[in-house]
Amino acid sequence: MTAPFTIAVDGPAASGKGTISKAVAAHFGFAHLDTGLLYRVVGAKTLIGIEPIAAALALQADDLSAENLRTPEVAQAASKVAVIAEVRAALVDFQRAFARRAGGAVLDGRDIGTVICPQAEAKLFVTASAENRAHRRWLELVETGHDVTLQEVLVDVKARDERDMNRALAPLKPAEGAVQIDTSEMSIADAISAAIVAVSARRLPL
Ligand code: CDP
């Protein structure tokens, strides 16, 4: 097993950071954690009446594979619970332990390079225009059988951007030293290549 190596990938809603993170993890043989799922699990629990801090404290790794975490409704609930200090605090240890596992880890989210892993060996900030992001997310949702309009997805993306960037705790912003990748005009393959190049630059010399 190789030593820990953390790749922190942050960016706004549906910027492509999940796709890029998965591909980067596969390329380097690292584990991948979509930290948005933690907030989605907590958000989903609030939609069935569970109190958010209790839901965050009770979170188990198995919860991350629950169904229906990808809907815009759950995304909105996630970004609402994500402003609560106790919710964020309850999720820190899980993320940090994952980040420092032997063999390397890629974590994607909003505050990975700024708060969870400020010492990450490599940091990326993935962006794209709100219209591009909404269009991609809409295609994903429709392809997976969700009944949602492009306009509804655009409203969700913009509302979450606004909340995520302006909250007092761990607001979404590029971490110091993060390499920015604007995927608006890039193919998926080009965005993945750009990310791999940026990370490789941080892995040399060994
Ligand atoms: O996939 P998408 O980019 O649309 O969202 P996500 O990464 O699943 O995150 C859902 C929500 O969780 C975000 O809008 C944030 O409010 C929150 N989140 C956060 O606050 N911190 C993170 N590290 C990850 C997600």
Side-chain angles (χ1 to χ4, degrees), residues 131-176:
E131 285 69 22
N132 267 291
R133 291 185 282 122
H135 190 254
R136 287 183 201 152
R137 178 54 54 88
W138 174 70
L139 284 177
E140 263 170 38
L141 287 166
V142 169
E143 274 165 18
T144 50
H146 292 96
D147 179 20
V148 64
T149 66
L150 176 57
Q151 185 57 27
E152 282 165 349
V153 178
L154 183 61
V155 167
D156 164 59
V157 159
K158 286 187 169 169
R160 283 197 291 136
D161 284 357
E162 176 71 20
R163 202 180 291 119
D164 293 348
M165 290 189 293
N166 295 309
R167 67 187 177 210
L169 261 179
L172 171 66
K173 62 177 181 195
E176 213 181 306

Side-chain angles (χ1 to χ4, degrees), residues 9-197:
V9 184
D10 291 307
S15 54
K17 60 190 184 313
T19 305
I20 290 174
S21 297
K22 258 188 231 122
V24 167
H27 178 86
F28 291 105
F30 289 5
H32 169 232
L33 177 65
D34 171 358
T35 67
L37 281 180
L38 304 173
Y39 294 90
R40 285 176 182 259
V41 166
V42 177
K45 296 254 165 92
T46 66
L47 296 176
I48 54 167
I50 298 172
E51 197 271 325
I53 299 169
L57 288 167
L59 190 128
Q60 308 277 322
D62 281 357
D63 297 338
L64 305 182
S65 41
E67 281 180 11
N68 291 322
L69 293 176
R70 300 279 176 197
T71 66
E73 194 193 13
V74 171
Q76 279 296 326
S79 94
K80 287 179 187 159
V81 300
V83 306
I84 305 169
E86 292 87 343
V87 167
R88 304 201 70 84
L91 303 176
V92 167
D93 289 351
F94 181 83
Q95 295 175 83
R96 289 199 178 136
F98 191 96
R100 298 318 283 169
R101 58 169 46 211
V106 183
L107 285 82
D108 73 89
R110 301 291 185 290
D111 62 341
I112 307 304
T114 51
V115 174
I116 301 296
C117 305
Q119 311 298 332
E121 282 79 6
K123 298 179 187 175
L124 305 175
F125 193 80
V126 181
T127 58
S129 71
E131 285 69 22
N132 267 291
R133 291 185 282 122
H135 190 254
R136 287 183 201 152
R137 178 54 54 88
W138 174 70
L139 284 177
E140 263 170 38
L141 287 166
V142 169
E143 274 165 18
T144 50
H146 292 96
D147 179 20
V148 64
T149 66
L150 176 57
Q151 185 57 27
E152 282 165 349
V153 178
L154 183 61
V155 167
D156 164 59
V157 159
K158 286 187 169 169
R160 283 197 291 136
D161 284 357
E162 176 71 20
R163 202 180 291 119
D164 293 348
M165 290 189 293
N166 295 309
R167 67 187 177 210
L169 261 179
L172 171 66
K173 62 177 181 195
E176 213 181 306
V179 173
Q180 299 215 27
I181 301 176
D182 184 335
T183 66
S184 302
E185 306 294 328
M186 278 184 179
S187 66
I188 292 174
D190 286 350
I192 292 169
S193 298
I196 290 172
V197 166

